[in-house]
Structure formats: structure tokens, C-alpha cells
Amino acid sequence: LMVSDIMCTLLFPGVGYLGRTLIAICFTWANTLIACLPMNESKKIYNIVGLSNIIVYLFVFCTGLYFVLTGNSPANPINLQSLLPRMDNAVMFVPIALFCASGVEVCSMSIEDSENPERDLKRTLLTFSFIFIVINCLASLGILMISPLEKMSIMSGIADIYIIAWNNKFLYVLICIQVIAGIICQCSAWTTAGGRSIAESAKEGKFPAVFAGESKAGLPKNAIILNGVFGTAMLVMYAFMANTAADLFFALMSCVVIAATLPYVLVMISYQKMRKGILKDYQGYKAPFGVAMSWILQITQIFVTMLLIWIPGVGFTDSAGITLIGSIAVLILGEIMLLCTKKVK
């Protein structure tokens, strides 16, 4: 949906949210196609787009500096008080921040291609996390120097600054295209990782056998394609429930982030049990601070998930009921599927 909104803002500003939903479905299947590519082909795309993301984010910060140093006043007050997080309407954007930061661990799904998986996985996670934090802080600071908060667009804000600072339509179009490519590649990596997890579960009998099918290159092709089918169905279903493109975006975002955080909560419980049990004497790489850190992260996950349902100063969101019912229904359906599988065995 974010990709669809950026494209429509750029090329088809008059398109309504139903038209944007159709475009989003097309991008869903573009994402599915990339996810089905063999790793030796897709990683070239990911590397190119990832490098361009870093360049664009740093250029945003440099543009903000240039804007201020050439005599323009910062569009927003920039001081310690204004930069500190506040428990107001800004909390509405926590789901988006979480969505963008989650899934870092999916690189473990293809780490076996490296020379030393145990060493390279640790280095990859730490290096990426550091780069992610630094460039996002710098880019956010650059945007705050140029674009007033009340006029900032969540869909195309990073591209809008080139109109404000440079009055350059070409740069605006170029950045929008890059952002679209970046989002698609990011989602493709998540799709491949999620497909791998589903396929492995299907091999163990925890999902229907149809999810276990793989391509000649060893990719979880069936799970990836079925993910595209379910994603399309979700887009269509939510499109009939929303009144505007913004309603559709935030409703789906809440649903997706809750669906993404709940497995982390369950996985963290399993991790805590394993650290005290079968992993007690494990000599390989261990996450720092052990179970104590896992509890801190667990509480944080639950707190953020609750913010998706109840927002301080706003109350319950319109989509809270639907999201809650849907999440509970999915968990119950999953347990029913596992019970049916056990009975068949």
C-alpha cells in the first residue's frame, strides 16, 4: 500500500483508494516474483537497492544541512526537548517504526550461503542494526530541518523535501522510484524468510503439506505463492472496510504489525525455556545478558503491541476490534489445524 500511495501521488494523484488497492495487489505479486528468484540472483538486487537506500538517507541529511546553512530557518524547532519522544499522537507512528525495524533476523534464513555462518550472522546483525539506527536518525534530522511536521506526508515525505529544498521535480521522481524499489526488496526478503519458516513447519506436519513444496533452487515456492494469495485476499477484504486510503493503510498496518509481534512473543517464551534447558551448556554465540534481556524485550513487545490497540490521548482505534478478533481467530485456527494434523497422524 505504501508503494501504491507513493506511485499514485507521483503519477496518478486523482486515483481513489480502491484504485490504489488494485495497484497494491500488482505490487504484491511483483514482490512474490522477486521472492521466488534464486538467492544468487536476488541478492544482487537486494545489495544494489540497499546501497542506494544508504546513499539516499545520507543525501537527505546533507540536503537538510545545506538548507539551513544557506540562510533558511529550520522548519521545526530542533533541540533536546523537541527530539525526545512524547506520549501523544506521535505514538500512532510506533507501529510503522516497529514494522520497519522488525525482521532484521531474516538474514539467518540464507546465512548458510556464507563461509562462516556463526561468525557472519553475528556481524551482519550488529552491523546492520548500527547502520539502521545512524542513517535513520540522520535522515529524520534532515527532514525536520526542511519540512514542517504538520505538512509532512508519511507516504512521500522523504521525497517531498527535494521539492521544498531544491524545487527539483527530477530528484523527486528519482527518490520516489528508489523508495518504491527499496520497499519491494525489503518485503521480498521478508516473504522469502516467512515462506522458509512456513515450509519447514509444513515438513514437520504443522501446516498443510501443500506449503512444503520447493523449487529446484530449494526456495519455498509454494509458501511464497500462497502468501501472495492470502495477501491479495487481505487487501481486498480491508478495502471494503475502509473509507479512505489512509484508513486502509493504518488498518492493514495495525493488523500486519500485530501479526508480526505475536509470534515474537511466543518465540521469546520458547527462547527463555531453551536457555534454561537444552541451550544451557551451548558454547556457540549467545545473545548478551541472557534471559534478563529477553524479559526486557518481551515486555517492550507486549507494550508496543498494546499501543496498536489503545493510543494515549486518542483511545481505541477504529480498527482495534477487527484487528483483535482477527488475531485471536488466526491463533485459534492455527491450534485447530495442529490438532487436526495430530489426529490424522
Side-chain angles (χ1 to χ4, degrees):
L1 275 173
M2 186 179 292
V3 171
S4 174
D5 271 339
I6 292 172
M7 175 167 281
C8 288
T9 301
L10 180 63
L11 301 175
F12 315 109
V15 175
Y17 79 94
L18 290 178
R20 297 183 182 213
T21 303
L22 291 175
I23 296 174
I25 291 173
C26 292
F27 279 118
T28 297
W29 286 100
N31 160 60
T32 302
L33 178 62
I34 295 175
C36 287
L37 291 175
M39 184 57 66
N40 62 343
E41 296 179 16
S42 60
K43 70 180 180 181
K44 297 176 183 177
I45 301 175
Y46 296 149
N47 289 339
I48 293 172
V49 173
L51 181 60
S52 67
N53 276 336
I54 294 175
I55 293 172
V56 167
Y57 277 44
L58 292 177
F59 191 46
V60 168
F61 174 67
C62 292
T63 299
L65 281 181
Y66 174 81
F67 183 78
V68 173
L69 293 176
T70 52
N72 298 289
S73 299
N76 302 282
I78 299 177
N79 49 54
L80 182 60
Q81 183 178 359
S82 65
L83 294 177
L84 288 174
R86 297 186 299 274
M87 296 295 288
D88 55 14
N89 290 348
V91 180
M92 294 176 63
F93 297 98
V94 169
I96 299 166
L98 179 63
F99 182 75
C100 293
S102 65
V104 175
E105 76 290 345
V106 301
C107 61
S108 62
M109 295 295 181
S110 55
I111 200 67
E112 69 273 6
D113 293 337
S114 67
E115 295 180 0
N116 187 332
E118 184 175 340
R119 179 201 65 195
D120 294 340
L121 178 60
K122 179 171 65 173
R123 288 181 178 179
T124 300
L125 291 174
L126 293 176
T127 302
F128 172 81
S129 299
F130 175 77
I131 294 174
F132 177 85
I133 293 171
V134 171
I135 67 171
N136 273 277
C137 288
L138 291 177
S140 298
L141 188 58
I143 293 174
L144 288 173
M145 293 178 187
I146 299 172
S147 179
L149 281 175
E150 62 273 11
K151 296 182 179 179
M152 197 176 295
S153 168
I154 193 171
M155 301 301 177
S156 58
I158 199 169
D160 289 341
I161 67 168
Y162 293 100
I163 296 294
I164 301 172
W166 303 100
N167 194 25
N168 192 314
K169 186 70 175 179
F170 173 76
L171 279 176
Y172 176 84
V173 173
L174 187 65
I175 297 303
C176 282
I177 293 173
Q178 191 281 329
V179 170
I180 289 173
I183 296 172
I184 291 177
C185 285
Q186 186 178 22
C187 291
S188 296
W190 290 345
T191 301
T192 302
R196 172 63 64 196
S197 178
I198 293 172
E200 293 300 322
S201 296
K203 291 177 184 178
E204 296 178 3
K206 296 178 181 178
F207 272 91
V210 66
F211 287 95
E214 296 182 345
S215 65
K216 293 181 179 179
L219 287 168
K221 189 174 182 179
N222 285 15
I224 292 173
I225 293 174
L226 288 170
N227 179 75
V229 173
F230 294 142
T232 301
M234 182 180 290
L235 280 168
V236 172
M237 180 181 68
Y238 270 84
F240 285 104
M241 297 179 181
N243 296 316
T244 65
D247 288 344
L248 180 60
F249 175 80
F250 280 106
L252 272 174
M253 181 64 72
S254 294
C255 177
V256 169
V257 176
I258 286 181
T261 54
L262 284 179
Y264 282 111
V265 172
L266 299 175
V267 166
M268 196 67 75
I269 294 173
S270 299
Y271 170 78
Q272 291 164 350
K273 290 184 177 180
M274 290 172 68
R275 281 297 296 261
K276 295 178 180 179
I278 61 175
L279 291 179
K280 186 176 182 180
D281 299 321
Y282 177 67
Q283 299 301 316
Y285 171 72
K286 295 181 181 179
F289 307 111
V291 176
M293 176 59 73
S294 71
W295 271 109
I296 294 174
L297 296 176
Q298 183 74 294
I299 294 170
T300 303
Q301 287 178 154
I302 295 172
F303 175 70
V304 171
T305 303
M306 290 302 299
L307 286 179
L308 301 174
I309 301 170
W310 184 84
I311 299 174
V314 177
F316 287 96
T317 61
D318 294 337
S319 60
I322 296 173
T323 303
L324 263 180
I325 293 171
S327 300
I328 295 171
V330 167
L331 288 174
I332 294 174
L333 182 61
E335 291 300 320
I336 293 173
M337 290 174 65
L338 288 176
L339 288 174
C340 291
T341 302
K342 291 179 180 178
K343 289 181 179 180
V344 170
K345 287 183 178 181

